Amino acid sequence: MKKWEKQTMKIAALGAMALTLAGCATAKSSSSQGNNPGKTIKIGVNMELSGSAAGYGEQQKQGIQLAVKKINKSGGIKVGGTKKKIQLVIRDNKTSNTTAASVAAQLVNNDKVVAVVGPATTSAGTAAIPNMTKAAVPSVSPSATDPDYTLQKSGKVQKYIFRACYQNNFQGATAATFVTKNLKAKRVAILTDNSSDYGTGLTKAFKKQYRGTVVSSQTFQEGDKDFNAILTALKHKKIDAIYAPGYYSEIGLIVKQARQAGIKAPIVGSDGMADAKLAQIAGKSNATNVYYTTPFSTKASATNKVASKFMSAYKAKYGSTAPTFSALAYDSVYMIKAAIEKEGSANSVKIADGLAKLKNFKGVTGTTTIGKQHNPEKTISIEQLTNGVVSKVYNVK
């Protein structure tokens, strides 16, 4: 019996040791989850480079490439005691939710990127989340503005999802405050792009904050060209301003047709208007008394050295003034760089940890701190157009 007991105890001890070693192995595996860098730091780009949102995607790609070029020219990103250059892996999600999810899987599983910039739109970004989360690889969207984008259905934060732009509820509420305090508008008409969560979300936030009277609330669809029926009806109502959240392609036509109809009231919109194409579509003389919320003002170079250098570099490279979406994408890359350097690691899980801790990041679009729900806390600007040119900037906190 004693001999059997000793053998049993020895077997138990060996079993316990095996379990301990297995536990160590499990712990080691857990701490090294996600993707790791090789000789370079692979950063993926999941972007709308064709399809309806291609205009925004191309602008963001330009900002991303400009940032990577500058970082690599200086030797790369400091990881511990060495520097590693960035290797971009760019894939087109074709402004398709299904493709965006597939691109996310390719980037994290096949290309083994350690972070992703994009997608540009909330819907494509949301479709990519499951694959990003499963692979434990963070993504930073330059422009996904829906309030729930960084949240799970339970309300908990999506660990690997971040954005460089502020969300719709903040943008819509700011516009409402501006319309009331700055424009003194007591009666407002609202024209909403209801073909996406972008327009409807902004309108919801505006209505919640606005304290005046909403005289009329009309909707339109992406791709609409003729707004004369809506505008003719508005012409006979007493309105102090029009709130029209949407993208420059439709809002440019609304501005043009409103002015041609004799409506001179201020037209206020959102960051989807922050593009030189708005004035081209509307006509320069019509693009007067027009305002929009934006995270990046072209007048920023006067007070922001980072923005000044970026705008000069963009002008030299692309021959035009840097648009908002290029600036946000540029900052997205530098946010990833800051996270890597903060953690001293380019492991994808560590990058997510670094992004969540980002504070007082000095970027092109201002000083950013990432909040608990992975949203940037920073100043919002409102640009005023006169004859198609930014004539004044209002900074709102």
Side-chain angles (χ1 to χ4, degrees), residues 244-292:
Y247 297 108
Y248 65 78
S249 47
E250 288 77 31
I251 304 302
L253 290 171
I254 288 174
V255 171
K256 180 179 182 178
Q257 292 169 26
R259 299 307 186 226
Q260 288 176 339
I263 297 173
K264 297 180 180 179
I267 297 175
V268 183
S270 53
D271 58 355
M273 295 165 60
D275 192 287
K277 292 186 181 70
L278 177 82
Q280 293 174 13
I281 295 169
K284 289 185 177 180
S285 60
N286 293 324
T288 295
N289 208 13
V290 172
Y291 307 80
Y292 51 81

Side-chain angles (χ1 to χ4, degrees), residues 335-383:
M335 286 167 65
I336 293 169
K337 175 181 181 288
I340 291 171
E341 292 178 342
K342 181 178 179 61
E343 295 296 312
S345 171
N347 167 267
S348 62
V349 177
K350 289 291 186 180
I351 295 174
D353 291 341
L355 285 167
K357 299 172 190 173
L358 208 60
K359 290 184 180 180
N360 298 318
F361 164 75
K362 306 292 184 184
V364 172
T365 59
T367 301
T368 297
T369 293
I370 296 297
K372 291 182 179 179
Q373 295 187 335
H374 293 180
N375 298 313
E377 297 170 358
K378 59 184 175 183
T379 300
I380 186 172
S381 297
I382 294 177
E383 290 191 332

